[in-house]
Amino acid sequence: MRSPDPRISLVIPVLNEARNLEVVLPSLPEVHQVILVDGRSVDDSVEVAKRCLPDIEVVTQTRGGKGNALACGFARVTGDVVVMFDADGSAAPEEIPLFAKTLVAGADFAKGSRFTSGGGSDDITRLRKAGNALLNGFTNLLLRTRFTDLCYGYNAFWSDIIPAFGLPPTELGRESGRQWGDGFEVETLINCRIALAGMKIREVPSFERDRMFGTSNLDTFRDGIRMLRVILREYGRSWRAGRRERERALPGPDTVVES
């Protein structure tokens, strides 16, 4: 039974974001749990986080990449609702209650969108916007979804659906190498899998702010190709699963078919 007053856990991946954390963390609303997942920062990100929020839970991710960071954070969640929150200042903390309200109203997954009515962005370039539109349209065509902003990472969901994401095990250490789903493709991977699982997705208008300090680790072309591969792989996986279901439904040699 899902709570009408859910406990909220924030999962914040961090890699050298000390200057941003000084501004972002004090602006957060009071929530049940804040988990900072550190990618072995070489600045004082962890020290700044502990100073700003003494109760913050700090986790060191087991491999590299945003996907692995999120998976490590999800493994530590104790709340009813999980919010994926970026540390660079682009996500508006005041939108968190709207995400939670959308879930309480019946959604399994609250999908932030910069391109639905009420949303917007100060940060997205024309190239990224065009790439997002292409990937978005391709996904909607193949998976019969109605996403308006496939690649946006500000999302929230009930913690009980985490197993449906099927993310790579966090127990595999750095020596195992990067796994599929460890990088920026993770958001596309999650969106595809929850859609194919038939979960209730509701878009939430969201405004993306400019990154405050530093530069993004996102590579438009490289990560765009990885996202395209995610879409094709998930479509293929779904098609093969559907074929197996159809084959199981066919009458076997010992099956009597009523006429």
Side-chain angles (χ1 to χ4, degrees):
M1 185 72 177
R2 290 172 172 174
S3 172
D5 185 23
R7 300 169 301 164
I8 297 174
S9 295
L10 302 185
V11 175
I12 309 177
V14 167
L15 180 61
N16 301 325
E17 298 283 8
R19 294 183 69 191
N20 290 321
L21 291 173
E22 287 179 332
V23 181
V24 170
L25 293 182
S27 71
L28 295 177
E30 186 174 346
V31 295
H32 165 70
Q33 181 184 35
V34 180
I35 303 170
L36 182 143
V37 187
D38 180 52
R40 296 179 175 83
S41 297
V42 296
D43 66 1
D44 56 347
S45 290
V46 172
E47 292 75 13
V48 167
K50 290 179 177 178
R51 184 173 70 246
C52 292
L53 284 181
D55 293 335
I56 198 168
E57 297 182 34
V58 177
V59 180
T60 301
Q61 67 180 98
T62 53
R63 293 185 297 279
K66 187 175 184 179
N68 175 249
L70 287 171
C72 290
F74 296 163
R76 295 285 292 270
V77 161
T78 59
D80 307 300
V81 161
V82 184
V83 178
M84 298 160 54
F85 196 87
D86 285 342
D88 60 7
S90 61
E94 61 269 21
E95 293 176 359
I96 292 173
L98 179 57
F99 280 94
K101 182 179 179 180
T102 301
L103 294 171
V104 170
D108 295 307
F109 193 92
K111 176 81 187 74
S113 175
R114 298 162 291 184
F115 305 125
T116 193
S117 178
S121 176
D122 282 333
D123 181 62
I124 194 167
T125 64
R126 288 185 179 181
L127 179 61
R128 285 175 53 212
K129 187 174 182 179
N132 187 64
L134 181 64
L135 293 171
N136 204 83
F138 194 48
T139 302
N140 289 341
L141 177 66
L142 286 182
L143 305 187
R144 300 180 181 180
T145 50
R146 292 184 293 176
F147 291 120
T148 64
D149 197 358
L150 177 72
C151 303
Y152 191 42
Y154 196 1
N155 306 305
F157 49 88
W158 292 99
S159 58
D160 59 22
I161 74 169
I162 291 175
F165 301 164
L167 298 181
T170 59
E171 293 80 8
L172 299 174
R174 300 176 73 184
E175 67 281 355
S176 65
R178 178 167 289 198
Q179 305 294 303
W180 182 250
D182 275 355
F184 279 105
E185 74 275 5
V186 65
E187 290 144 0
T188 304
L189 182 66
I190 290 173
N191 293 335
C192 289
R193 288 186 175 173
I194 59 172
L196 290 170
M199 295 185 185
K200 294 180 182 177
I201 304 168
R202 296 290 181 271
E203 291 195 332
V204 176
S206 180
F207 194 90
E208 180 186 35
R209 302 167 177 172
D210 278 324
R211 163 182 273 274
M212 290 185 296
F213 303 106
T215 57
S216 173
N217 293 309
L218 177 71
D219 183 293
T220 300
F221 289 102
R222 180 196 64 203
D223 292 309
I225 292 297
R226 290 180 70 87
M227 293 170 192
L228 178 60
R229 289 177 62 196
V230 166
I231 298 164
L232 292 172
R233 286 176 63 147
E234 292 305 304
Y235 172 73
R237 191 172 69 95
S238 175
W239 186 87
R240 290 190 296 273
R243 183 178 65 180
R244 288 193 293 270
E245 287 295 323
R246 291 190 294 271
E247 290 173 349
R248 281 197 290 268
L250 291 174
D254 299 322
T255 302
V256 176
V257 179
E258 297 285 345
S259 60

